[in-house]
Amino acid sequence: MHQTAPATYPQFFFRSSGRALRPVAAGLAVCAILFGGLACARADTAMVRDDHGRLTVAPDSPLAARLSVTSVTLASPSRTIPVPGEIRAEPSQSLSVMTPVAGAIVSLPVSAGDHVTRNQVVAELASGDMALATTDATKARAGLDYARRALARAQGVASAGGAATRDVESARNAWLQAQAEDDRATARLAALRAQPGQGGVIRLTAPIDGTVSAVNTAAGAFVTDPTAPLMTIVGTGQVWAVAAVPENLADTVHVGQQADITVAARPGLTAHGTIAAIEPALQADTRTLQARVVLANDDAMLKPGMFATVTILTPQPPRIMVPQSALLMNNDTVTVFVETAPHTYRRREIEIIYDDGDLCEVISGLSAGDRVVTQGAVLLNDD
């Protein structure tokens, strides 16, 4: 008969010999490898108690520390509509400088591209009409003074009984005429922005702060047409961003909506404003509706003529939004874990509308005030 060799098993010796302890250590290592996974699984199971789908997590467990719970709220996200646009000078800030009288240009201290401030002298003209106006004003002022003194003398003589009433009335009439003539001459000088005694030189000043965009004359030229612009000054302290809204989006754009404006020539610069006006008719050639955004431009970074992108923010009705990190996907079913009590959670199916952002809209399954697990939900398991 053949004898079967006895089975060999790990030997455990509890002796003080160094050689004898080696098999003991080897046996413990094998046990750790064979049963480590089961022990971890039992430890994880001990963290979560499943009561018919209601999961309770031990408050002092490592799993509880990895869960983040957030209340569901109503949000009003904005739909963004990017459309092409252009930076334009505000028409009321683009003014032409013209001379009110004919004359020869004796000084032209500015040129195209120069920045000017309000009331800065931009041109000087020698004009016979200007000389006549200042002379008339001086004569009218002298005549008014003489008439005033003559009326005072007549009134004094009359009070002493030495003059007739007719003389007083005549002096009063002369004084009234002199006063009217002085008012006329003064108004004429005011229209020319001149002062009595200035002579025949008229100084033209900038009506606004801005930049000289064009100069149409030169020193030494004789101006005969008062309606011809000598130069054009464009104010850049405020500009327009004009958006070209496509015809199919015209009904979504309204006055008062917020808009962000970016320009390719200024990377990193974003201007913010609101739609101030919308033209009533479409552009026939482009089939677009022009919406105007007024922008402050104190630093003159935005130049008229720059191409821009106008992103119009269209507010949407309040909706329930949740972070996409809270979603658990199971085939075609989307679920979240809802906290029903402290450290107690239940899986709930929801319907959503996918979005490219961090949030998505919930159509059904959640209400405002529900608390959902937004971080660590995948660690919960109620299967």
Side-chain angles (χ1 to χ4, degrees):
M1 295 179 65
H2 296 283
Q3 294 182 351
T4 303
T8 59
Y9 297 93
Q11 299 179 1
F12 299 90
F13 299 99
F14 299 95
R15 297 181 181 177
S16 60
S17 172
R19 290 183 177 181
L21 289 177
R22 290 179 181 176
V24 175
L28 293 176
V30 171
C31 291
I33 295 174
L34 294 177
F35 304 109
L38 179 61
C40 293
R42 289 178 177 175
D44 289 341
T45 303
M47 297 181 190
V48 181
R49 185 175 72 252
D50 188 348
D51 183 10
H52 303 310
R54 186 175 64 180
L55 306 181
T56 302
V57 179
D60 56 349
S61 65
L63 177 58
R66 300 181 64 180
L67 299 179
S68 297
V69 181
T70 305
S71 296
V72 176
T73 58
L74 289 174
S76 298
S78 295
R79 176 190 175 193
T80 58
I81 305 176
V83 296
E86 181 185 2
I87 303 300
R88 298 182 185 175
E90 186 176 348
S92 63
Q93 296 295 308
S94 180
L95 302 178
S96 297
V97 177
M98 296 181 290
T99 174
V101 292
I105 298 178
V106 296
S107 174
L108 194 66
V110 297
S111 57
D114 289 349
H115 181 76
V116 295
T117 58
R118 183 181 177 88
N119 295 327
Q120 177 182 337
V121 176
V122 295
E124 291 183 335
L125 286 82
S127 170
D129 293 338
M130 183 65 184
L132 180 61
T134 56
T135 301
D136 288 346
T138 302
K139 291 169 58 177
R141 183 66 53 85
L144 177 61
D145 184 63
Y146 175 79
R148 182 183 298 110
R149 287 186 283 108
L151 176 60
R153 285 196 303 269
Q155 289 175 338
V157 173
S159 62
T165 304
R166 184 183 60 182
D167 296 335
V168 175
E169 293 299 328
S170 178
R172 187 185 305 277
N173 182 60
W175 172 72
L176 291 175
Q177 291 183 9
Q179 188 174 46
E181 181 64 19
D182 181 69
D183 291 342
R184 183 199 63 79
T186 302
R188 173 64 172 162
L189 284 183
L192 298 176
R193 298 183 181 179
Q195 299 294 330
Q198 184 172 326
V201 177
I202 180 172
R203 295 179 177 86
L204 304 179
T205 59
I208 58 172
D209 295 342
T211 302
V212 179
S213 62
V215 177
N216 305 318
T217 187
F222 191 83
V223 180
T224 58
D225 185 5
T227 63
L230 302 182
M231 66 184 64
T232 303
I233 298 177
V234 177
T236 57
Q238 197 173 67
V239 295
W240 286 356
V242 180
V245 182
E247 183 177 2
N248 61 325
L249 298 177
D251 292 338
T252 63
V253 179
H254 307 283
V255 173
Q257 284 180 284
Q258 300 291 322
D260 297 334
I261 295 89
T262 57
V263 291
R266 296 286 185 265
L269 174 63
T270 301
H272 308 281
T274 58
I275 297 179
I278 300 175
E279 291 191 358
L282 294 172
Q283 298 292 309
D285 52 347
T286 61
R287 306 304 302 169
T288 58
L289 192 67
Q290 292 195 345
R292 184 170 70 243
V293 180
V294 180
L295 299 175
N297 190 37
D298 296 333
D299 54 3
M301 293 293 290
L302 300 175
K303 306 294 186 183
M306 285 182 172
F307 290 112
T309 298
V310 181
T311 303
I312 302 173
L313 308 181
T314 305
Q316 302 295 311
R319 296 177 291 176
I320 294 178
M321 310 291 292
V322 296
Q324 294 200 21
S325 60
L327 305 181
L328 298 174
M329 311 301 297
N330 184 10
N331 295 328
D332 294 334
T333 303
V334 181
T335 63
V336 296
F337 276 106
V338 180
E339 186 183 53
T340 58
H343 304 289
T344 301
Y345 312 94
R346 182 178 292 275
R347 186 187 294 268
R348 186 182 299 178
E349 292 187 7
I350 62 173
E351 294 184 28
I352 65 172
I353 296 178
Y354 289 97
D355 199 348
D356 294 334
D358 296 333
L359 300 177
C360 61
E361 178 184 356
V362 179
I363 302 176
S364 64
L366 288 177
S367 302
D370 289 342
R371 291 173 55 80
V372 300
V373 178
T374 55
Q375 294 292 337
V378 71
L379 301 177
L380 296 173
N381 184 13
D382 59 347
D383 296 333

